[in-house]
Amino acid sequence: MEQIEQQIINLREKLQYWEYLYYLKNSPEVPDIEYDLVMAELRLLESKRPDLLTVDSPSQRVGGKVQNKFFQVRHKVPMLSLDNIFDKSGFMIFDQRLRNRLKSNNDIVYCCELKLDGLAVSILYNRGVLVRAATRGDGNTGENITANIRTISTIPLRLKNDDNLPRLIEIRGEVFMSKTGFMQLNTRSKKEGNKLFANPRNAAAGSLRQLDPAITACRPLMFYCYGVGLVTPNVLSDSHWEQLQQFKNWGIPISTYSSRCTGSTEVLDFYQKVNNNRSSFGFDIDGVVIKVDSLRLQHHLGFITRAPRWAIAYKLPAQEQLTQIKKVEFQVGRTGIITPVARLNPILVSGAIVSNATLHNINEVKRLGIMIGDTVIVRRSGNVIPQIIGIVSSKRPENALQIVFPSQCPICCSKLEHSNIMLRCPAGLVCAAQRKEAIKRFVSRLAMNIDGIGDKIINQLVNSNLVTNPADLFRLNADILMNLERIGPILANKLLHSLKKSKKTTLARFLYALGICEVGYATAVNIAASYNTLDILITADIKSLKAISNIGPVVATNVYNFFTKSYNLNVIQDLLSPPIGIRCYKSKPAYLEHCKKK
Ligand code: IVH
């Protein structure tokens, strides 16, 4: 062997060993500067002798070119998903079902793992060298993301301890982002004026789908292996847990939290332990994956459509976090109801950043006994809507402030009406906040379905007084629209076309679009079914309205009162007569009839 070749091999081995110590053992042996100097020396030698360059060289992690698309990869062994259970009885049923199938009442040995909240990937090693990586895709076909996976420092480009390696092995696992990595990435993105990610999972997905691997390389991605796809020849142990330990010996990252459990009690204890410690992992998990440990038994149990019978995901309950209330603001809704909203120090709860939570009404604020500066417990109800479920009184700071309810509307300054739990701005469409909400309802999908007119455009139209009521929307023209931010001729024409198209509608949609208090879409359909035309409805007396089935006296009164107000009648008159000329059909308009037949 030439001297330069030997030198290159030595440098690569040195760097690989340091990377292993740094990323997998968490115990760096040399300062970063020394690593960088050796890497520079390797790059220099490789540039002198490009014929000696190999794909598994540590210098090649970010060597991939910018692509213009991802190529498809067909998985030789499909990448399956998992069925879910949510409670102890779900697990007991699963365990019993397996014992019935195995015709044995003995305790089953399971391998229990964290259910990482990221993206499944498959990484193929040929004679120990990383040759291809792919996303899960639909389970049968994924996308080739080799260049991006190579940038993840903990994923070995060449497996260690080559002696016992199969010729071909497809390592499967999850790419994810730590909570701190995610927070730092978002802070950086904010500074640079880039889009923020909603949660670590989205950030990991967005980072893996970069066509430029240099961008992926700057993202704090992590990887844990949890299984295997294709292996030839199969030199692996019959125990899934032992396989994972084998992979670890080859330098593949695995979670240290996996545990072999015998029987249901040990599994349930593991689940409890994970649940108690979940906030300490530093990354999001959304459950525990319970797998039959023996590969022979896994094979015997087999699959049902897209999920294995031998594994299940036991989901964790909704997560709670502590954070502080910075201030409380008051929002004005479509019907003038004022809602207190707590502005919070941003906090990650069940995978999403929460910075606001509704406090609903005066009673709720009193019930919680909240003050500004308080530390509160936040949960995402149904794992979606953020909710404050209590305060930690022991953490109340000395300078905590009382929440003062406004006496005037924060938008239009009208004097607020006060019932015992609700505050309401009585200004109706005079109040800009209510006007915006009214327009949002009017254009919405179930109402007039005016495509393209979103919140941003509505804010601009109302703020600049171009639109004070729904009829004004139909008075817009291309010149006016093109004066708004980010609207060019193409979008302006599209919006005008949407407005024109919306003029043929149904009575139910129109009624719903008017935004009458407590008239949702189902109620609007119900009312429309009882009246042939809008004219008849407008002149209906309260008695006939109350006679509509499934409509209570409150809704009947709201409808009646709405049609007695001259302001409302004038807007309706404008909408229905030329030049606007909206046509309300009793049911589906004739021009849409053909859709039914399809
Ligand atoms: S095993 C046949 N183990 O969960 C078994 N999956 O809901 C296939 N996941 O697509 C997966 N952590 O992305 C397995 N320890 C773990 C996991 C895990 C996260 C994800 C994976 C999979 C999804 C299925």
mmCIF file with all atom_site columns, all heavy atoms in Angstrom, residues 301-318:
data_model
loop_
_atom_site.group_PDB
_atom_site.id
_atom_site.type_symbol
_atom_site.label_atom_id
_atom_site.label_alt_id
_atom_site.label_comp_id
_atom_site.label_asym_id
_atom_site.label_entity_id
_atom_site.label_seq_id
_atom_site.pdbx_PDB_ins_code
_atom_site.Cartn_x
_atom_site.Cartn_y
_atom_site.Cartn_z
_atom_site.occupancy
_atom_site.B_iso_or_equiv
_atom_site.pdbx_formal_charge
_atom_site.auth_seq_id
_atom_site.auth_comp_id
_atom_site.auth_asym_id
_atom_site.auth_atom_id
_atom_site.pdbx_PDB_model_num
ATOM 1   N N   . LEU A 1 301 ? -46.976 -15.164 14.426 1.00 0.00 ? 301 LEU A N   1
ATOM 2   C CA  . LEU A 1 301 ? -48.162 -14.301 14.614 1.00 0.00 ? 301 LEU A CA  1
ATOM 3   C C   . LEU A 1 301 ? -48.528 -13.539 13.335 1.00 0.00 ? 301 LEU A C   1
ATOM 4   O O   . LEU A 1 301 ? -49.710 -13.321 13.052 1.00 0.00 ? 301 LEU A O   1
ATOM 5   C CB  . LEU A 1 301 ? -47.916 -13.315 15.760 1.00 0.00 ? 301 LEU A CB  1
ATOM 6   C CG  . LEU A 1 301 ? -47.890 -13.963 17.153 1.00 0.00 ? 301 LEU A CG  1
ATOM 7   C CD1 . LEU A 1 301 ? -47.239 -13.039 18.175 1.00 0.00 ? 301 LEU A CD1 1
ATOM 8   C CD2 . LEU A 1 301 ? -49.310 -14.317 17.597 1.00 0.00 ? 301 LEU A CD2 1
ATOM 9   N N   . GLY A 1 302 ? -47.535 -13.133 12.590 1.00 0.00 ? 302 GLY A N   1
ATOM 10  C CA  . GLY A 1 302 ? -47.761 -12.491 11.282 1.00 0.00 ? 302 GLY A CA  1
ATOM 11  C C   . GLY A 1 302 ? -48.383 -11.097 11.352 1.00 0.00 ? 302 GLY A C   1
ATOM 12  O O   . GLY A 1 302 ? -48.238 -10.382 12.353 1.00 0.00 ? 302 GLY A O   1
ATOM 13  N N   . PHE A 1 303 ? -49.093 -10.715 10.290 1.00 0.00 ? 303 PHE A N   1
ATOM 14  C CA  . PHE A 1 303 ? -49.583 -9.336  10.119 1.00 0.00 ? 303 PHE A CA  1
ATOM 15  C C   . PHE A 1 303 ? -51.079 -9.301  9.826  1.00 0.00 ? 303 PHE A C   1
ATOM 16  O O   . PHE A 1 303 ? -51.622 -10.280 9.329  1.00 0.00 ? 303 PHE A O   1
ATOM 17  C CB  . PHE A 1 303 ? -48.895 -8.689  8.908  1.00 0.00 ? 303 PHE A CB  1
ATOM 18  C CG  . PHE A 1 303 ? -47.416 -8.751  8.986  1.00 0.00 ? 303 PHE A CG  1
ATOM 19  C CD1 . PHE A 1 303 ? -46.711 -9.845  8.483  1.00 0.00 ? 303 PHE A CD1 1
ATOM 20  C CD2 . PHE A 1 303 ? -46.722 -7.714  9.569  1.00 0.00 ? 303 PHE A CD2 1
ATOM 21  C CE1 . PHE A 1 303 ? -45.331 -9.900  8.573  1.00 0.00 ? 303 PHE A CE1 1
ATOM 22  C CE2 . PHE A 1 303 ? -45.341 -7.763  9.652  1.00 0.00 ? 303 PHE A CE2 1
ATOM 23  C CZ  . PHE A 1 303 ? -44.657 -8.847  9.157  1.00 0.00 ? 303 PHE A CZ  1
ATOM 24  N N   . ILE A 1 304 ? -51.707 -8.179  10.079 1.00 0.00 ? 304 ILE A N   1
ATOM 25  C CA  . ILE A 1 304 ? -53.050 -7.928  9.556  1.00 0.00 ? 304 ILE A CA  1
ATOM 26  C C   . ILE A 1 304 ? -52.914 -6.665  8.711  1.00 0.00 ? 304 ILE A C   1
ATOM 27  O O   . ILE A 1 304 ? -52.493 -5.635  9.239  1.00 0.00 ? 304 ILE A O   1
ATOM 28  C CB  . ILE A 1 304 ? -54.091 -7.595  10.650 1.00 0.00 ? 304 ILE A CB  1
ATOM 29  C CG1 . ILE A 1 304 ? -53.532 -7.923  12.020 1.00 0.00 ? 304 ILE A CG1 1
ATOM 30  C CG2 . ILE A 1 304 ? -55.461 -8.162  10.330 1.00 0.00 ? 304 ILE A CG2 1
ATOM 31  C CD1 . ILE A 1 304 ? -54.177 -7.186  13.133 1.00 0.00 ? 304 ILE A CD1 1
ATOM 32  N N   . THR A 1 305 ? -53.302 -6.728  7.481  1.00 0.00 ? 305 THR A N   1
ATOM 33  C CA  . THR A 1 305 ? -53.136 -5.638  6.494  1.00 0.00 ? 305 THR A CA  1
ATOM 34  C C   . THR A 1 305 ? -51.838 -4.829  6.675  1.00 0.00 ? 305 THR A C   1
ATOM 35  O O   . THR A 1 305 ? -50.797 -5.236  6.232  1.00 0.00 ? 305 THR A O   1
ATOM 36  C CB  . THR A 1 305 ? -54.359 -4.716  6.400  1.00 0.00 ? 305 THR A CB  1
ATOM 37  O OG1 . THR A 1 305 ? -54.738 -4.348  7.715  1.00 0.00 ? 305 THR A OG1 1
ATOM 38  C CG2 . THR A 1 305 ? -55.492 -5.369  5.653  1.00 0.00 ? 305 THR A CG2 1
ATOM 39  N N   . ARG A 1 306 ? -51.895 -3.693  7.393  1.00 0.00 ? 306 ARG A N   1
ATOM 40  C CA  . ARG A 1 306 ? -50.713 -2.830  7.427  1.00 0.00 ? 306 ARG A CA  1
ATOM 41  C C   . ARG A 1 306 ? -49.964 -2.858  8.753  1.00 0.00 ? 306 ARG A C   1
ATOM 42  O O   . ARG A 1 306 ? -48.989 -2.156  8.936  1.00 0.00 ? 306 ARG A O   1
ATOM 43  C CB  . ARG A 1 306 ? -51.119 -1.391  7.102  1.00 0.00 ? 306 ARG A CB  1
ATOM 44  C CG  . ARG A 1 306 ? -51.888 -1.271  5.795  1.00 0.00 ? 306 ARG A CG  1
ATOM 45  C CD  . ARG A 1 306 ? -51.985 0.143   5.324  1.00 0.00 ? 306 ARG A CD  1
ATOM 46  N NE  . ARG A 1 306 ? -50.679 0.771   5.161  1.00 0.00 ? 306 ARG A NE  1
ATOM 47  C CZ  . ARG A 1 306 ? -49.843 0.489   4.170  1.00 0.00 ? 306 ARG A CZ  1
ATOM 48  N NH1 . ARG A 1 306 ? -50.156 -0.423  3.278  1.00 0.00 ? 306 ARG A NH1 1
ATOM 49  N NH2 . ARG A 1 306 ? -48.692 1.117   4.076  1.00 0.00 ? 306 ARG A NH2 1
ATOM 50  N N   . ALA A 1 307 ? -50.467 -3.647  9.721  1.00 0.00 ? 307 ALA A N   1
ATOM 51  C CA  . ALA A 1 307 ? -49.814 -3.634  11.039 1.00 0.00 ? 307 ALA A CA  1
ATOM 52  C C   . ALA A 1 307 ? -49.509 -5.060  11.501 1.00 0.00 ? 307 ALA A C   1
ATOM 53  O O   . ALA A 1 307 ? -50.265 -5.981  11.201 1.00 0.00 ? 307 ALA A O   1
ATOM 54  C CB  . ALA A 1 307 ? -50.728 -2.938  12.039 1.00 0.00 ? 307 ALA A CB  1
ATOM 55  N N   . PRO A 1 308 ? -48.402 -5.219  12.233 1.00 0.00 ? 308 PRO A N   1
ATOM 56  C CA  . PRO A 1 308 ? -48.091 -6.571  12.724 1.00 0.00 ? 308 PRO A CA  1
ATOM 57  C C   . PRO A 1 308 ? -49.007 -6.952  13.891 1.00 0.00 ? 308 PRO A C   1
ATOM 58  O O   . PRO A 1 308 ? -49.444 -6.082  14.637 1.00 0.00 ? 308 PRO A O   1
ATOM 59  C CB  . PRO A 1 308 ? -46.649 -6.432  13.210 1.00 0.00 ? 308 PRO A CB  1
ATOM 60  C CG  . PRO A 1 308 ? -46.472 -4.993  13.521 1.00 0.00 ? 308 PRO A CG  1
ATOM 61  C CD  . PRO A 1 308 ? -47.400 -4.219  12.647 1.00 0.00 ? 308 PRO A CD  1
ATOM 62  N N   . ARG A 1 309 ? -49.295 -8.255  14.018 1.00 0.00 ? 309 ARG A N   1
ATOM 63  C CA  . ARG A 1 309 ? -50.063 -8.706  15.184 1.00 0.00 ? 309 ARG A CA  1
ATOM 64  C C   . ARG A 1 309 ? -49.185 -8.707  16.427 1.00 0.00 ? 309 ARG A C   1
ATOM 65  O O   . ARG A 1 309 ? -49.684 -8.677  17.536 1.00 0.00 ? 309 ARG A O   1
ATOM 66  C CB  . ARG A 1 309 ? -50.554 -10.143 14.954 1.00 0.00 ? 309 ARG A CB  1
ATOM 67  C CG  . ARG A 1 309 ? -51.756 -10.231 14.070 1.00 0.00 ? 309 ARG A CG  1
ATOM 68  C CD  . ARG A 1 309 ? -52.525 -11.520 14.382 1.00 0.00 ? 309 ARG A CD  1
ATOM 69  N NE  . ARG A 1 309 ? -53.561 -11.701 13.393 1.00 0.00 ? 309 ARG A NE  1
ATOM 70  C CZ  . ARG A 1 309 ? -53.362 -12.283 12.217 1.00 0.00 ? 309 ARG A CZ  1
ATOM 71  N NH1 . ARG A 1 309 ? -52.192 -12.776 11.895 1.00 0.00 ? 309 ARG A NH1 1
ATOM 72  N NH2 . ARG A 1 309 ? -54.350 -12.401 11.359 1.00 0.00 ? 309 ARG A NH2 1
ATOM 73  N N   . TRP A 1 310 ? -47.856 -8.776  16.226 1.00 0.00 ? 310 TRP A N   1
ATOM 74  C CA  . TRP A 1 310 ? -46.941 -8.988  17.347 1.00 0.00 ? 310 TRP A CA  1
ATOM 75  C C   . TRP A 1 310 ? -46.463 -7.691  18.023 1.00 0.00 ? 310 TRP A C   1
ATOM 76  O O   . TRP A 1 310 ? -45.608 -7.734  18.905 1.00 0.00 ? 310 TRP A O   1
ATOM 77  C CB  . TRP A 1 310 ? -45.722 -9.805  16.891 1.00 0.00 ? 310 TRP A CB  1
ATOM 78  C CG  . TRP A 1 310 ? -45.129 -9.352  15.577 1.00 0.00 ? 310 TRP A CG  1
ATOM 79  C CD1 . TRP A 1 310 ? -45.399 -9.872  14.351 1.00 0.00 ? 310 TRP A CD1 1
ATOM 80  C CD2 . TRP A 1 310 ? -44.198 -8.288  15.363 1.00 0.00 ? 310 TRP A CD2 1
ATOM 81  N NE1 . TRP A 1 310 ? -44.690 -9.209  13.373 1.00 0.00 ? 310 TRP A NE1 1
ATOM 82  C CE2 . TRP A 1 310 ? -43.933 -8.236  13.971 1.00 0.00 ? 310 TRP A CE2 1
ATOM 83  C CE3 . TRP A 1 310 ? -43.545 -7.381  16.200 1.00 0.00 ? 310 TRP A CE3 1
ATOM 84  C CZ2 . TRP A 1 310 ? -43.059 -7.313  13.408 1.00 0.00 ? 310 TRP A CZ2 1
ATOM 85  C CZ3 . TRP A 1 310 ? -42.685 -6.454  15.637 1.00 0.00 ? 310 TRP A CZ3 1
ATOM 86  C CH2 . TRP A 1 310 ? -42.446 -6.423  14.257 1.00 0.00 ? 310 TRP A CH2 1
ATOM 87  N N   . ALA A 1 311 ? -46.991 -6.549  17.588 1.00 0.00 ? 311 ALA A N   1
ATOM 88  C CA  . ALA A 1 311 ? -46.567 -5.286  18.211 1.00 0.00 ? 311 ALA A CA  1
ATOM 89  C C   . ALA A 1 311 ? -47.763 -4.352  18.334 1.00 0.00 ? 311 ALA A C   1
ATOM 90  O O   . ALA A 1 311 ? -48.727 -4.445  17.562 1.00 0.00 ? 311 ALA A O   1
ATOM 91  C CB  . ALA A 1 311 ? -45.480 -4.620  17.381 1.00 0.00 ? 311 ALA A CB  1
ATOM 92  N N   . ILE A 1 312 ? -47.668 -3.454  19.298 1.00 0.00 ? 312 ILE A N   1
ATOM 93  C CA  . ILE A 1 312 ? -48.761 -2.494  19.508 1.00 0.00 ? 312 ILE A CA  1
ATOM 94  C C   . ILE A 1 312 ? -48.160 -1.193  20.067 1.00 0.00 ? 312 ILE A C   1
ATOM 95  O O   . ILE A 1 312 ? -47.140 -1.235  20.743 1.00 0.00 ? 312 ILE A O   1
ATOM 96  C CB  . ILE A 1 312 ? -49.812 -3.098  20.493 1.00 0.00 ? 312 ILE A CB  1
ATOM 97  C CG1 . ILE A 1 312 ? -51.149 -2.407  20.393 1.00 0.00 ? 312 ILE A CG1 1
ATOM 98  C CG2 . ILE A 1 312 ? -49.343 -3.093  21.940 1.00 0.00 ? 312 ILE A CG2 1
ATOM 99  C CD1 . ILE A 1 312 ? -52.092 -3.037  19.448 1.00 0.00 ? 312 ILE A CD1 1
ATOM 100 N N   . ALA A 1 313 ? -48.795 -0.070  19.759 1.00 0.00 ? 313 ALA A N   1
ATOM 101 C CA  . ALA A 1 313 ? -48.349 1.206   20.343 1.00 0.00 ? 313 ALA A CA  1
ATOM 102 C C   . ALA A 1 313 ? -49.309 1.572   21.473 1.00 0.00 ? 313 ALA A C   1
ATOM 103 O O   . ALA A 1 313 ? -50.505 1.731   21.238 1.00 0.00 ? 313 ALA A O   1
ATOM 104 C CB  . ALA A 1 313 ? -48.345 2.294   19.285 1.00 0.00 ? 313 ALA A CB  1
ATOM 105 N N   . TYR A 1 314 ? -48.776 1.672   22.676 1.00 0.00 ? 314 TYR A N   1
ATOM 106 C CA  . TYR A 1 314 ? -49.583 2.038   23.856 1.00 0.00 ? 314 TYR A CA  1
ATOM 107 C C   . TYR A 1 314 ? -49.355 3.539   24.072 1.00 0.00 ? 314 TYR A C   1
ATOM 108 O O   . TYR A 1 314 ? -48.299 3.966   24.513 1.00 0.00 ? 314 TYR A O   1
ATOM 109 C CB  . TYR A 1 314 ? -49.106 1.206   25.050 1.00 0.00 ? 314 TYR A CB  1
ATOM 110 C CG  . TYR A 1 314 ? -49.921 1.292   26.314 1.00 0.00 ? 314 TYR A CG  1
ATOM 111 C CD1 . TYR A 1 314 ? -49.659 0.414   27.371 1.00 0.00 ? 314 TYR A CD1 1
ATOM 112 C CD2 . TYR A 1 314 ? -50.949 2.212   26.494 1.00 0.00 ? 314 TYR A CD2 1
ATOM 113 C CE1 . TYR A 1 314 ? -50.389 0.465   28.554 1.00 0.00 ? 314 TYR A CE1 1
ATOM 114 C CE2 . TYR A 1 314 ? -51.676 2.270   27.663 1.00 0.00 ? 314 TYR A CE2 1
ATOM 115 C CZ  . TYR A 1 314 ? -51.381 1.398   28.702 1.00 0.00 ? 314 TYR A CZ  1
ATOM 116 O OH  . TYR A 1 314 ? -52.098 1.463   29.866 1.00 0.00 ? 314 TYR A OH  1
ATOM 117 N N   . LYS A 1 315 ? -50.384 4.330   23.722 1.00 0.00 ? 315 LYS A N   1
ATOM 118 C CA  . LYS A 1 315 ? -50.230 5.792   23.720 1.00 0.00 ? 315 LYS A CA  1
ATOM 119 C C   . LYS A 1 315 ? -50.153 6.356   25.138 1.00 0.00 ? 315 LYS A C   1
ATOM 120 O O   . LYS A 1 315 ? -50.809 5.839   26.053 1.00 0.00 ? 315 LYS A O   1
ATOM 121 C CB  . LYS A 1 315 ? -51.426 6.433   23.010 1.00 0.00 ? 315 LYS A CB  1
ATOM 122 C CG  . LYS A 1 315 ? -51.478 6.106   21.529 1.00 0.00 ? 315 LYS A CG  1
ATOM 123 C CD  . LYS A 1 315 ? -50.423 6.862   20.808 1.00 0.00 ? 315 LYS A CD  1
ATOM 124 C CE  . LYS A 1 315 ? -50.609 6.832   19.330 1.00 0.00 ? 315 LYS A CE  1
ATOM 125 N NZ  . LYS A 1 315 ? -50.159 7.984   18.652 1.00 0.00 ? 315 LYS A NZ  1
ATOM 126 N N   . LEU A 1 316 ? -49.414 7.443   25.289 1.00 0.00 ? 316 LEU A N   1
ATOM 127 C CA  . LEU A 1 316 ? -49.331 8.115   26.592 1.00 0.00 ? 316 LEU A CA  1
ATOM 128 C C   . LEU A 1 316 ? -50.454 9.142   26.705 1.00 0.00 ? 316 LEU A C   1
ATOM 129 O O   . LEU A 1 316 ? -50.909 9.663   25.684 1.00 0.00 ? 316 LEU A O   1
ATOM 130 C CB  . LEU A 1 316 ? -47.979 8.817   26.724 1.00 0.00 ? 316 LEU A CB  1
ATOM 131 C CG  . LEU A 1 316 ? -46.774 7.892   26.879 1.00 0.00 ? 316 LEU A CG  1
ATOM 132 C CD1 . LEU A 1 316 ? -45.493 8.664   26.686 1.00 0.00 ? 316 LEU A CD1 1
ATOM 133 C CD2 . LEU A 1 316 ? -46.773 7.231   28.253 1.00 0.00 ? 316 LEU A CD2 1
ATOM 134 N N   . PRO A 1 317 ? -50.905 9.445   27.938 1.00 0.00 ? 317 PRO A N   1
ATOM 135 C CA  . PRO A 1 317 ? -51.984 10.437  28.068 1.00 0.00 ? 317 PRO A CA  1
ATOM 136 C C   . PRO A 1 317 ? -51.494 11.842  27.711 1.00 0.00 ? 317 PRO A C   1
ATOM 137 O O   . PRO A 1 317 ? -50.288 12.083  27.655 1.00 0.00 ? 317 PRO A O   1
ATOM 138 C CB  . PRO A 1 317 ? -52.350 10.365  29.554 1.00 0.00 ? 317 PRO A CB  1
ATOM 139 C CG  . PRO A 1 317 ? -51.167 9.768   30.212 1.00 0.00 ? 317 PRO A CG  1
ATOM 140 C CD  . PRO A 1 317 ? -50.474 8.897   29.215 1.00 0.00 ? 317 PRO A CD  1
ATOM 141 N N   . ALA A 1 318 ? -52.454 12.740  27.469 1.00 0.00 ? 318 ALA A N   1
ATOM 142 C CA  . ALA A 1 318 ? -52.124 14.134  27.122 1.00 0.00 ? 318 ALA A CA  1
ATOM 143 C C   . ALA A 1 318 ? -51.149 14.686  28.154 1.00 0.00 ? 318 ALA A C   1
ATOM 144 O O   . ALA A 1 318 ? -51.246 14.397  29.344 1.00 0.00 ? 318 ALA A O   1
ATOM 145 C CB  . ALA A 1 318 ? -53.384 14.966  27.098 1.00 0.00 ? 318 ALA A CB  1
#
